[in-house]
Amino acid sequence: MPELPEVEALALDLRSRLDGHAIAKIHLAAFSALKTFDPPLSALEGTMVDDVTRHGKFLDIEASGIHLCLHLARAGWVRWRDEVPTIPPKPSTKSTLALRVVLDDQSGLDITEAGTRKSLAVYVVRDPQDVPGIARLGPDPLTDDFTLERFAGILRAEGRKQLKGVLRYQSTIAGIGNAYSDEILHAAKMSPFKPASGLSDDEVAALYAALRTTLGDAVERSRGLHASELKGEKKSNLAVHGQTGKPCPVCGDTVLEVSFADSSLQYCPTCQTGGKPLADRRMSRLLK
């Protein structure tokens, strides 16, 4: 799933590509992806693109006061086309295409979603806050006002909730998903199951530093890359996420995994749990 660094890089890339262009046509190929009806999708046609920004994991293309907000979910992506086909796409269950944005010079964007589990969401709104997922977002962890004191207050308020879940919950902190929560916790040398309120002041500071550094470095590595390059960049720089069975790049121990119903987490036992493997989340007792 694209997370804060990739969506930030997508916004930067698209801002440079869409600047000065008008949206000539929009074709909806997956009707289930569109979650709004007023304004209609056609209201974007003939508008000038003003800006492309990010809200958590949401991408926001603003054109003449109307916002095309995209949540790419687990398998969605944005693909740039120097020239889009002249024939409008036909809805098809066999195609990955969900939405096509055609610009005034016949270049454009294809919004795609792979797999059979369709979760990609498209919103056309006058205000991004009209999108329920955006309205519920917590603070952005890379803004200047996301201070150590604010982060400490969030952890205290979350009580005994496990750090992995606290970092991933979008209404608590915006933009962090499964991959970067694993990476942040590895950088901080903390168990994903450690309770949020159980951290000492030094541990809170270490986790805060790991969060800001991990996300900030990922954004900097992604800056200037085209959309087609972002997935590869992300995968090549992950220390533990998706690295089950491989050596930890810090200590050399084997990266382990805990599986859930529809996801998994990865961690290094030496770096994060004192050498002890974590019990499966589905068991009643968990090692901290």
Side-chain angles (χ1 to χ4, degrees):
M1 176 183 290
E3 299 178 32
L4 186 157
E6 296 81 55
V7 181
E8 178 73 14
L10 277 174
L12 290 172
D13 183 36
L14 292 179
R15 186 181 302 150
S16 65
R17 293 178 183 272
L18 300 181
D19 182 49
H21 284 288
I23 297 175
K25 201 72 178 176
I26 291 194
H27 301 295
L28 183 64
F31 295 105
S32 62
L34 184 61
K35 307 302 180 184
T36 54
F37 62 91
D38 181 28
L41 194 61
S42 59
L44 286 160
E45 296 178 351
T47 59
M48 291 292 297
V49 177
D50 297 319
D51 200 3
V52 183
T53 54
R54 172 188 62 80
H55 313 278
K57 300 179 191 177
F58 287 82
L59 192 65
D60 179 1
I61 300 173
E62 181 182 359
S64 300
I66 300 176
H67 297 259
L68 175 64
C69 296
L70 308 170
H71 190 280
L72 298 173
R74 183 172 298 223
W77 199 242
V78 179
R79 304 183 187 278
W80 174 259
R81 302 186 69 136
D82 290 324
E83 186 174 357
V84 299
T86 56
I87 300 175
K90 294 182 179 180
S92 171
T93 57
K94 297 180 180 180
S95 173
T96 61
L97 181 63
L99 184 76
R100 174 169 291 159
V101 179
V102 184
L103 301 179
D104 50 6
D105 63 353
Q106 205 54 33
S107 64
L109 311 173
D110 279 355
I111 315 302
T112 63
E113 184 174 28
T116 57
R117 186 176 177 180
K118 302 300 184 183
S119 303
L120 183 145
V122 177
Y123 306 84
V124 181
V125 293
R126 296 179 181 87
D127 185 335
Q129 293 298 314
D130 293 336
V131 178
I134 294 178
R136 291 194 299 265
L137 287 176
D140 190 294
L142 289 185
T143 56
D144 291 340
D145 61 355
F146 192 84
T147 61
L148 173 59
E149 291 72 21
R150 188 174 188 183
F151 182 57
I154 289 172
L155 295 178
R156 286 193 300 270
E158 292 302 299
R160 300 290 296 174
K161 292 180 183 177
Q162 296 166 353
L163 287 178
K164 171 77 174 179
V166 171
L167 292 175
R168 287 188 63 185
Y169 189 55
Q170 297 303 294
S171 293
T172 303
I173 303 172
I176 303 172
N178 198 26
Y180 285 106
S181 57
D182 282 351
E183 296 299 296
I184 290 165
L185 289 166
H186 176 256
K189 300 185 182 299
M190 293 183 190
S191 167
F193 295 154
K194 191 174 183 68
S197 61
L199 273 61
S200 67
D201 290 345
D202 287 345
E203 288 175 322
V204 171
L207 183 58
Y208 176 79
L211 183 155
R212 299 274 286 196
T213 300
T214 300
L215 295 179
D217 287 353
V219 168
E220 287 305 311
R221 288 194 306 267
S222 300
R223 193 180 300 276
L225 296 181
H226 299 317
S228 60
E229 303 171 297
L230 289 172
K231 290 184 179 180
E233 192 286 328
K234 178 181 180 179
K235 289 181 179 179
S236 65
N237 285 282
L238 295 174
V240 291
H241 183 79
Q243 308 300 311
T244 303
K246 297 179 181 180
C248 168
V250 174
C251 72
D253 195 2
T254 301
V255 174
L256 300 182
E257 175 178 300
V258 176
S259 296
F260 303 91
D262 60 352
S263 66
S264 62
L265 64 83
Q266 287 80 41
Y267 68 99
C268 170
T270 293
C271 291
Q272 296 176 252
T273 60
K276 298 179 180 179
L278 291 171
D280 192 285
R281 178 63 178 84
R282 291 163 294 187
M283 297 174 64
S284 59
R285 294 181 62 84
L286 303 173
L287 297 176
K288 299 295 189 288

